[in-house]
């Protein structure tokens, strides 16, 4: 989970505090630490403790003592915690269906910010703090850093009273947690605009609970908003949601951070260090990781496996079905071997949650406990969020979230992607051992996120495609070099391939990445001192594709794609499509004919179309594709290398043969006769999507740039000519043009029209603007339109079918109007 947090201004805060003390007590003129605002109860208008915290109070001791009196809530804050760094995490607990178009989920963190509680006169302030800009306190520039990064005040409270020994201050937090504060809200400006949110309805909003634990406080809010366009039950004009606010005390001494290197995938924290001797601020990026320290440092230095002082422990939610617990436990502890590569034994452990009798104070909401939560929800997903210290990147806690229906997605994908060669997958009642292994690997994947690892979408491309058909290779190496890739199943193996592995597993990259991020370098005093050693670890694996990190964020690298396997997208997708054709022929046999119901057949058929579209997308990425390989200058490796011309042409030809033609097999007659779902339009959409992606401005920009480093490169004009030849091949052959092709040909003309007429410059992913009107694109498009106009004029007489002739007449008219718009 990535964070974006702000900055500290302790000097000015201390100044304000000192001024406040001076006006209240003669003792305050003596220098004092900022977190001890007064040793005696100051003279004020505050009520006595017993007047505020009455006998009716329901109190709970923890980080702060919390009190509830009727519908009012109070925090009793120890003065020793004033000025201490805390993390405020705002997380969506429950949301209505369809909020944000379905892209916002329960469990999503909406805000994470560093805060401090400060006393100013007879007020308590919550200040938002940041470590995004820092400088050593001993340097003069630290004064400027603090003065130019003054933190905002999130909220100000009146002091209601003091504890009887004056060591604590008491504030009323009811209004704070009942208000619609943007910095803590689950509805950002975009969502408010989308759903036309007018305001928070105070009469229907309340604090559901406040719980205090030794290191954190958890507040559950029920908020109801008046909204003109709610995502569900529109007639109510209401959006109701629950928010969970976690306030977490950060460690007194931050962990020593480790500098990030983009050649190894980690979630990160960023800072601008103004202590640098360079002529500019020095941006430092630290990785997110747990704090692991060996019990026996001497043995650790000798290279022995040593247990950590505090291992990473996950507890199983008591709501987890008993038969699934062993798979979850194994999924967590699969990482033990990876941590051994970093010198730690039993570094990560999974336990059953204690019973009430064993530990009455245990709670999944206690920040001291990381829990695998089992959520009764129809959502098909799993998540591995974590909370980290923005000062150092130390991961403080994480909860793995498993949604009940997630295994249905895996059952479906297992059937569709492996059913052609795997008899065990040809059923709606997947074997428990297969389901258990799938769950185990999903948990391992999500735990990887919670350990600091993002997706490594390049991991599966390190294996040769043909190796996926070999039992010895797949059972040893799995189907990807990392569990962090989205490489779920072996969809390459063909009927007759015996003994191959179908389900993913941990890979060599996982141990390598754990070693790089978690192995201690004891003799390095500063993060910068670690860099030479860290570089050596990377360079020792250079050239071995299994240890390459492939960023998920790219849309142009065919070797770093989601849901793909193998190092050749064309060959892999050819095998995948061949398997889907077999499955399509037998889908009714494996579903509706067994259940006497069409629900599963229709659902699986829709997902089959999705699988086909993914395989097509893997090949489409090769067109205008660029391989990305992170490196440092001393490695003498080019970071970006265009896909060779021959490979791009082969990709275009594959799409022409497998996407622009020969798609009738995708229409399942058994499904169509029992489900009016508009399959003709669905096919149009599936064909047009790769067409538009190939003929996109982003593709043209990459093709243009590739000419700077590759003389014999695939050019934009080559792409246009190849695509036109493939889409309009009937004009030369006289072959009948079916409805799928007619739709596609019209879409082609519409795409060229857009390229000719759209006025606004296109902003690419690199945030650079590509001025289409000033490039060669329109010149080429105009030439292609003229060539098509001539072909249509010369060829339309070949076709006797009236529907086809009308289609060609229409296409000719459309082309003519683009070239010479009507006045």
């Amino acid at each position: 989970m990535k964070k974006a947090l702000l900055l500290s201004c302790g000097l000015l805060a201390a100044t304000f505090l000192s001024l406040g003390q001076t006006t209240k007590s003669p003792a305050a003129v003596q220098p004092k630490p900022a977190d001890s605002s007064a040793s005696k109860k100051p003279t004020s208008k505050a009520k006595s403790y017993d007047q505020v915290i009455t006998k009716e109070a329901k109190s709970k001791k923890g980080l702060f003592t919390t009190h509830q009196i009727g519908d009012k809530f109070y925090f009793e804050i120890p003065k020793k915690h004033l000025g201490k760094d805390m993390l405020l995490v705002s997380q969506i607990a429950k949301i209505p269906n369809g909020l944000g178009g379905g892209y916002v989920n329960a469990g999503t963190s909406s805000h994470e910010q560093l805060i401090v509680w400060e006393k100013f006169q007879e007020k308590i302030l919550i200040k938002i703090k940041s470590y995004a800009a820092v400088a050593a306190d001993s340097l003069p520039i630290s004064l400027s850093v603090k003065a130019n990064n003054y933190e905002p005040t999130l909220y100000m409270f009146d002091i209601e009273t003091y504890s009887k020994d004056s060591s604590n201050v008491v504030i009323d937090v009811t209004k704070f947690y009942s208000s619609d504060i943007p910095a803590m809200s689950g509805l950002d400006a975009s969502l408010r605009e989308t759903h036309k949110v007018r305001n928070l309805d105070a009469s229907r909003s309340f604090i559901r609970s406040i719980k205090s634990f030794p290191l954190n406080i958890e507040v559950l809010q029920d908020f109801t908003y008046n909204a003109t366009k709610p995502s569900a039950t529109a007639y109510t004009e209401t959006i109701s949601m629950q928010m969970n606010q976690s306030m977490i005390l950060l460690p007194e001494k931050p962990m020593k951070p480790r500098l990030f290197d983009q050649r190894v995938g980690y979630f990160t924290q960023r800072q601008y260090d103004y202590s640098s001797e360079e002529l500019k601020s020095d941006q430092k990026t630290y990785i997110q990781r747990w704090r692991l320290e060996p019990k026996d440092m001497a043995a650790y230095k000798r290279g022995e496996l040593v247990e950590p002082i505090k291992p990473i422990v996950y507890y199983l939610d008591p709501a987890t079905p008993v038969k699934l617990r062993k798979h979850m436990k194994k999924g967590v502890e699969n990482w033990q071997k990876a941590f051994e590569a970093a010198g730690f034994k039993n570094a990560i452990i999974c336990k059953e949650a204690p019973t009430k009798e064993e530990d009455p104070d245990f709670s999944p909401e206690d920040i001291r406990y990381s829990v695998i939560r089992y959520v009764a929800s129809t959502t098909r997903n799993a998540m591995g969020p974590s909370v980290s210290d923005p000062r150092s990147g130390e991961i403080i806690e994480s909860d793995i979230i498993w949604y009940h229906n997630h295994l249905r997605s895996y059952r479906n994908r297992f059937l569709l992607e492996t059913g052609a060669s795997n008899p065990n997958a040809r059923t709606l009642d997947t074997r428990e051992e297969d389901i258990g292994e799938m769950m185990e690997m999903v948990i391992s994947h999500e735990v990887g996120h919670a350990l600091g690892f993002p997706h490594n979408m390049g991991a599966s491309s390190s294996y040769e495609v043909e190796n996926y058909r070999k039992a010895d290779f797949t059972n040893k190496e799995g189907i990807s070099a990392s569990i962090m890739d989205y490489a779920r199943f072996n969809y390459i193996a063909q009927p007759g391939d015996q003994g191959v592995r179908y389900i993913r597993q941990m890979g060599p990259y996982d141990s390598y990445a754990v070693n790089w991020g978690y192995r201690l370098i004891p003799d390095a005093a500063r993060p910068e001192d670690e860099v030479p050693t860290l570089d050596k670890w990377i360079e020792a694996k250079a050239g071995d594709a299994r240890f390459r990190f492939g960023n998920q964020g790219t849309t142009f690298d065919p070797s770093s794609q989601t849901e793909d396997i193998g190092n050749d997208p064309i060959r892999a997708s050819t095998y995948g499509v061949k398997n889907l054709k077999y499955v399509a022929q037998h889908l009714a046999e494996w579903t509706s004919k067994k259940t006497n119901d069409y629900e599963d057949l229709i659902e699986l058929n829709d997902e089959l179309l999705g699988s086909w579209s993914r395989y097509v997308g893997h090949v489409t990425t090769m067109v205008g594709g660029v391989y990305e390989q992170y490196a440092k200058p001393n490695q003498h490796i080019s970071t970006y290398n265009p896909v060779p011309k021959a490979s791009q042409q082969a990709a275009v030809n594959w799409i022409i043969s497998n996407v622009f033609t020969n798609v009738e097999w995708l229409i399942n007659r058994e499904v169509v006769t029992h489900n009016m779902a508009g399959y003709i339009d669905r096919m149009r959409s599936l064909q047009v999507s790769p067409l538009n992606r190939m003929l996109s401005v982003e593709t043209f920009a990459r093709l243009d740039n590739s000419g700077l480093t590759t003389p014999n490169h695939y050019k934009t004009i080559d792409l246009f000519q190849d695509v036109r030849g493939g889409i309009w091949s009937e004009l030369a052959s006289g072959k009948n043009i079916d409805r799928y092709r007619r739709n596609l040909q019209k879409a082609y003309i519409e795409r060229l029209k857009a390229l000719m007429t759209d006025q606004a410059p296109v902003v690419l992913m690199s945030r650079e603007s590509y001025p289409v009107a000033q490039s060669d694109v329109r010149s080429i498009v105009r030439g292609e339109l003229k060539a098509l106009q001539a072909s249509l004029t010369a060829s339309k007489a070949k076709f006797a079918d009236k529907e086809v002739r009308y289609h060609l007449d229409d296409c000719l008219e459309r082309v003519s109007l683009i070239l010479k718009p009507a006045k």
Side-chain angles (χ1 to χ4, degrees):
M1 189 184 300
K2 297 183 178 179
K3 283 86 182 172
L5 303 167
L6 310 177
L7 152 57
S8 161
C9 187
L11 180 65
L12 292 176
T15 303
F16 284 142
L17 187 56
S18 177
L19 288 171
Q21 292 167 345
T22 302
T23 62
K24 291 296 174 185
S25 170
V29 299
Q30 302 299 322
K32 288 178 178 252
D35 62 355
S36 58
S37 57
S39 61
K40 297 180 180 180
K41 180 178 176 179
T43 302
S44 73
K45 297 180 181 179
K47 298 177 182 179
S48 70
Y49 186 82
D50 291 336
Q51 286 179 299
V52 178
I53 307 303
T54 64
K55 294 180 180 180
E56 289 73 32
K58 298 176 182 177
S59 304
K60 171 70 176 177
K61 290 186 177 181
L63 177 62
F64 301 163
T65 299
T66 61
H67 307 281
Q68 181 180 359
I69 306 172
D71 58 358
K72 284 188 171 292
F73 294 84
Y74 297 86
F75 280 176
E76 185 171 333
I77 307 174
K79 290 180 181 176
K80 67 180 181 180
H81 286 328
L82 295 176
K84 294 289 182 68
D85 289 344
M86 298 186 186
L87 197 63
L88 180 61
V89 181
S90 303
Q91 191 175 57
I92 297 171
K94 293 182 180 179
I95 59 170
N97 182 49
L99 186 75
Y103 293 100
V104 181
N105 300 306
T108 299
S109 177
S110 60
H111 298 277
E112 297 182 21
Q113 47 210 332
L114 197 69
I115 63 167
V116 291
W117 295 81
E118 294 182 354
K119 183 177 183 294
F120 173 62
Q121 298 178 354
E122 285 304 292
K123 306 287 185 182
I124 293 293
L125 313 178
I126 298 181
K127 304 289 285 185
I128 295 178
K129 193 176 178 181
S130 173
Y131 281 85
V134 297
D137 289 340
S138 60
L139 297 177
I141 197 172
S142 66
L143 299 174
S144 179
V145 170
K146 293 171 182 177
N148 287 284
N149 293 275
Y150 184 58
E151 67 266 16
T153 298
L154 181 62
Y155 207 84
M156 183 169 69
F157 305 84
D158 292 322
I159 295 177
E160 302 293 328
T161 188
Y162 293 82
S163 61
K164 294 180 179 179
D165 64 357
S166 299
S167 63
N168 304 336
V169 296
V170 179
I171 59 173
D172 183 345
V173 297
T174 310
K175 185 177 179 182
F176 173 62
Y177 284 114
S178 300
S179 301
D180 186 21
I181 299 174
M184 299 165 60
S185 175
L187 295 178
D188 60 20
S190 174
L191 287 174
R192 290 170 190 261
E193 174 62 28
T194 298
H195 299 292
K196 304 301 178 186
V197 175
R198 298 192 297 274
N199 61 290
L200 179 73
D201 189 338
S203 68
R204 294 185 287 168
S205 301
F206 55 93
I207 301 169
R208 183 171 287 271
S209 66
I210 294 183
K211 299 178 182 179
S212 187
F213 302 97
L215 298 176
N216 63 298
I217 292 176
E218 303 294 317
V219 180
L220 188 61
Q221 305 162 304
D222 259 81
F223 280 167
T224 293
Y225 296 86
N226 294 309
T228 305
K229 294 183 177 180
S231 61
T233 53
Y235 65 91
T236 65
E237 294 198 359
T238 292
I239 292 176
S240 291
M241 64 190 305
Q242 282 189 359
M243 290 295 297
N244 192 86
Q245 307 291 345
S246 300
M247 189 170 61
I248 304 159
L249 180 66
L250 293 175
E252 190 75 25
K253 182 180 179 182
M255 178 185 72
K256 184 176 79 172
R258 175 156 292 180
L259 287 166
F260 170 68
D261 191 309
Q262 63 182 347
R263 294 172 293 178
V264 185
Y266 271 88
F267 293 130
T268 60
Q269 306 279 170
R270 289 186 179 181
Q271 293 180 358
Y272 284 94
D273 187 354
Y274 288 86
S275 304
S276 172
E277 295 294 328
E278 303 293 332
L279 299 179
K280 62 178 180 65
S281 60
D282 185 9
Q283 179 177 300
K284 292 183 177 178
T285 305
Y286 300 125
I287 67 171
Q288 292 179 4
R289 57 178 179 161
W290 293 79
R291 187 190 300 227
L292 288 182
E293 299 166 330
K295 287 182 179 178
D296 185 340
M297 180 58 81
Y300 187 85
K301 287 183 176 180
R302 291 195 299 269
E304 299 174 22
L305 288 180
V306 178
E307 290 190 342
I309 295 171
K310 183 181 178 182
I312 303 164
V313 180
Y314 281 94
Y315 292 88
L316 293 178
D317 190 332
T320 306
V322 174
K323 69 178 183 179
L324 299 178
R325 294 180 183 181
K326 63 182 179 182
H327 303 299
M328 287 191 165
K329 186 176 191 296
K330 192 172 181 183
V332 174
E333 295 182 350
N334 279 339
W335 284 94
Q336 286 186 353
K337 184 173 178 60
F339 275 101
E340 289 178 3
F344 291 103
K345 179 172 61 176
N346 299 324
I348 184 166
I349 301 167
C350 185
K351 298 180 178 181
E352 297 271 355
T355 63
K356 286 291 184 185
E357 293 73 24
E358 293 170 333
D359 185 353
D361 295 325
F362 178 86
S363 170
E365 296 171 18
D366 190 330
I367 201 72
R368 294 175 299 170
Y369 306 117
S370 295
V371 179
I372 302 178
R373 296 175 181 256
Y374 196 96
V375 181
S377 167
T378 58
T379 300
R380 297 188 185 182
N381 199 7
M383 297 165 53
S386 61
V387 175
S388 63
D389 186 340
R391 305 168 302 175
S392 65
E394 177 185 356
I395 297 173
I396 305 298
E397 181 267 357
S398 78
D399 284 342
I400 307 301
I401 302 172
W402 177 276
Y403 295 97
H404 179 72
N405 275 21
H406 195 37
L407 282 175
R408 187 177 180 91
S409 295
Y410 276 82
R411 180 206 68 176
N412 290 357
R413 292 278 296 271
F414 190 56
L415 185 154
L416 294 170
E417 296 183 10
T418 76
S421 61
N422 180 13
N424 292 328
R426 300 168 187 170
T427 176
L428 296 174
D429 298 316
T430 311
R431 296 187 309 174
E432 185 176 336
E433 60 190 273
D434 291 327
I435 285 290
E437 189 172 12
M438 292 176 211
M439 184 178 213
E440 173 192 333
M441 294 308 162
V442 177
I443 293 296
S444 292
H445 178 94
E446 301 305 335
V447 168
H449 286 317
L451 295 174
F453 302 120
H455 290 130
N456 178 4
M457 295 308 185
S460 61
S461 66
S462 61
Y463 294 166
E464 293 281 345
V465 167
E466 295 303 322
N467 283 334
Y468 287 89
R469 302 187 60 186
K470 300 174 182 177
D472 55 349
F473 181 89
T474 55
N475 285 297
K476 179 183 177 183
E477 302 291 341
I479 59 176
S480 174
S482 173
I483 194 68
M484 301 315 298
D485 200 337
Y486 269 176
R488 304 173 204 268
F489 298 110
N490 181 356
Y491 61 77
I492 288 174
Q494 297 294 293
D497 295 341
Q498 298 294 318
V500 298
R501 181 176 179 84
Y502 291 102
I503 300 171
R504 60 182 169 173
Q505 64 184 23
M506 301 280 291
Y509 172 87
D510 302 316
S511 296
Y512 161 74
V514 169
N515 176 72
W516 188 90
Y518 280 88
R519 178 172 286 279
L520 300 185
I521 306 176
D523 298 330
R526 304 175 304 138
E528 291 79 5
D529 299 334
E530 296 182 336
V531 172
T533 299
L534 296 173
D535 281 349
K536 287 181 182 177
W537 291 346
I538 294 174
E539 290 163 11
K541 303 294 187 183
D544 190 332
R546 295 176 300 165
F547 303 105
R548 167 182 170 252
F549 173 69
N551 201 327
Q552 181 183 6
T554 66
T555 59
F556 54 80
D557 184 349
S559 69
S560 185
Q561 301 193 74
T562 180
E563 311 285 359
D564 69 327
I565 55 175
N567 65 348
D568 183 345
I570 294 176
R571 192 183 307 174
S573 291
T574 299
Y575 280 135
V577 170
K578 186 177 179 181
N579 283 338
L580 284 181
K581 288 180 178 179
Y582 181 92
V583 171
Q585 291 174 355
H586 296 276
L587 199 55
E589 173 190 334
W590 300 340
T591 57
S592 59
K593 291 181 181 179
K594 293 288 179 68
T595 63
N596 198 31
D597 187 283
Y598 291 108
E599 180 182 353
D600 288 294
L601 172 62
I602 292 169
E603 178 182 316
L604 281 159
N605 186 71
D606 283 345
E607 293 193 27
L608 184 146
L609 296 177
S611 294
W612 178 79
S613 182
R614 281 194 296 274
Y615 300 159
V616 171
H618 298 155
V619 178
T620 306
T621 304
M622 298 180 69
V623 183
V626 178
Y627 296 116
E628 183 178 56
Q629 174 71 60
Y630 298 133
K632 285 191 174 182
N634 67 330
Q635 292 180 268
H636 308 292
I637 298 172
S638 298
T639 302
Y640 298 105
N641 291 286
V643 174
K645 179 178 181 179
S647 297
Q648 294 196 53
Q649 286 179 315
V652 172
N653 290 335
W654 188 92
I655 292 168
I656 290 169
S657 299
N658 293 276
V659 183
F660 295 165
T661 54
N662 303 318
V663 294
E664 293 83 358
W665 68 270
L666 287 165
I667 304 297
N668 190 314
R669 307 300 171 187
E670 185 90 12
V671 173
V672 172
T673 55
H674 298 285
N675 183 40
M676 290 294 292
Y679 281 98
I680 295 296
D681 186 63
R682 179 79 182 271
M683 289 309 307
R684 180 201 57 77
S685 176
L686 289 171
Q687 290 180 297
V688 169
S689 178
L691 169 67
N692 288 344
R693 187 177 170 193
M694 284 195 298
L695 300 184
S696 69
V697 175
E698 289 82 0
T699 300
F700 305 149
R702 290 195 294 272
L703 291 175
D704 283 352
N705 287 330
S706 66
L708 299 175
T709 57
T710 310
N712 185 30
H713 68 287
Y714 194 52
K715 300 177 182 178
T716 301
I717 193 169
D718 298 329
L719 171 61
F720 270 104
Q721 290 176 347
D722 289 344
V723 170
R724 175 168 56 86
I727 289 180
W728 297 94
S729 60
E730 295 92 342
L731 298 183
S733 68
K735 183 180 177 182
N736 187 51
I737 307 175
D738 65 27
R739 70 183 74 187
Y740 308 110
R741 293 282 286 180
R742 295 197 296 268
N743 289 343
L744 180 64
Q745 289 169 355
K746 290 186 176 77
Y748 171 86
I749 294 172
E750 289 300 305
R751 180 62 195 145
L752 266 58
K753 178 182 178 181
L755 291 170
M756 285 293 290
T757 57
D758 285 353
Q759 296 300 317
V762 177
V763 179
L764 308 180
M765 285 189 66
S766 60
R767 300 186 185 277
E768 295 180 357
S769 189
Y770 189 88
V772 177
Q774 298 173 29
S775 72
D776 285 334
V777 170
R778 285 191 179 165
S779 306
I780 296 170
V781 170
R782 188 179 299 278
E784 288 296 300
L785 285 167
K786 287 183 176 180
L788 178 59
Q789 185 182 51
S791 295
L792 286 167
T793 302
S795 304
K796 66 177 183 175
K798 294 180 182 179
F799 300 91
D801 186 287
K802 185 179 290 187
E803 198 168 25
V804 173
R805 289 177 65 89
Y806 284 168
H807 161 71
L808 295 176
D809 282 339
D810 178 54
C811 289
L812 183 57
E813 184 67 18
R814 293 187 190 206
V815 171
S816 299
L817 285 173
I818 297 171
L819 292 170
K820 291 187 178 181
K823 294 182 180 179

